[in-house]
Amino acid sequence: MQKYLAECIGTFWLVLGGCGSAVLAAAFPEVGIGLVGVSFAFGLTVLTMAFAIGHISGCHLNPAVSVGLWAGGRFPANQLLPYIVAQVVGAVIAGAVLYVIASGQAGFDAAASGFASNGYGEHSPGGYGFTAALVCEVVMTAMFLVVILGATDSRAPAGFAPIAIGLCLTLIHLISIPVTNTSVNPARSTGVALFVGDWAVAQLWLFWLAPIVGAVIGAVLYKAIGSGGDE
């Protein structure tokens, strides 16, 4: 239960910190942090939680990461469902807390603002279509898993994995926020989409499917290049 609670708390922090930066700070007229600030916010949530709970649960914070670690032979199948449930619960609680905070501003409307939800087509920040969104999420998640598996390999330099993984997530956001608002994490997508409803929930399936497919691809790729290390 300690592992599951750690995953719940960690994912809560990721969604509150990452999506919170987008909803509360990115568009603030005088001190908006913009795309770069939001990207670093997501990276910093993973970096800080990796040091805080990595030794307890492994700090997955992401159903796709859990699936990818399983596919890479680093995580037992019997813990997949409890981890995913804990991650989604943490993300939804964070979405609720963020909604309460954001609603304190006069005129706030989650649906109208998008509430940091992921989307494609008219709901993509840059107007990117379905195919672009699908490819982007698959590729970004695949590379995320390559970095995670490589950085946590027993042959990798000790103690640097949280930094590499946090910076990788930052880079992923710098690349893909204009395309989908960056998911690479089904729990993160679910945690805010439920408070938008409508189009965000209708498009949510893509942000479950693509990251999970990408994670499995990433695990296969790392196995191909990293065989001989952790199995």
Side-chain angles (χ1 to χ4, degrees):
M1 284 304 296
Q2 288 179 322
K3 291 182 178 181
Y4 307 144
L5 181 58
E7 284 296 304
C8 182
I9 293 170
T11 311
F12 168 87
W13 183 235
L14 182 146
V15 174
L16 185 63
C19 294
S21 71
V23 172
L24 303 176
F28 198 75
E30 288 81 19
V31 294
I33 61 175
L35 182 153
V36 174
V38 173
S39 299
F40 271 100
F42 272 100
L44 288 170
T45 61
V46 171
L47 174 62
T48 53
M49 273 296 146
F51 282 113
I53 67 168
H55 55 287
I56 300 172
S57 69
C59 192
H60 298 186
L61 316 185
N62 181 338
V65 169
S66 296
V67 170
L69 291 173
W70 163 76
R74 303 274 192 90
F75 190 67
N78 64 358
Q79 291 188 35
L80 263 180
L81 184 58
Y83 261 58
I84 291 171
V85 169
Q87 291 155 1
V88 172
V89 168
V92 172
I93 294 173
V97 170
L98 180 57
Y99 183 84
V100 170
I101 295 171
S103 297
Q105 184 181 50
F108 172 76
D109 185 321
S113 70
F115 201 52
S117 292
N118 303 113
Y120 55 86
E122 64 179 307
H123 304 295
S124 157
Y128 290 84
F130 172 81
T131 301
L134 173 64
V135 172
C136 185
E137 289 291 327
V138 168
V139 172
M140 295 300 156
T141 313
M143 294 309 301
F144 193 33
L145 262 294
V146 169
V147 171
I148 291 170
L149 289 165
T152 56
D153 193 300
S154 61
R155 299 166 294 175
F160 291 97
I163 298 171
I165 294 167
L167 288 176
C168 181
L169 189 61
T170 299
L171 176 59
I172 286 169
H173 279 78
L174 287 170
I175 297 167
S176 60
I177 283 178
V179 183
T180 61
N181 228 11
T182 309
S183 171
V184 303
N185 184 338
R188 168 262 188 267
S189 298
T190 303
V192 288
L194 294 181
F195 293 90
V196 174
D198 192 26
W199 64 266
V201 172
Q203 294 189 353
L204 184 60
W205 68 272
L206 177 66
F207 302 103
W208 274 85
L209 177 64
I212 289 174
V213 169
V216 173
I217 292 172
V220 171
L221 288 174
Y222 190 75
K223 275 193 167 185
I225 64 173
S227 57
D230 290 337
E231 297 295 338

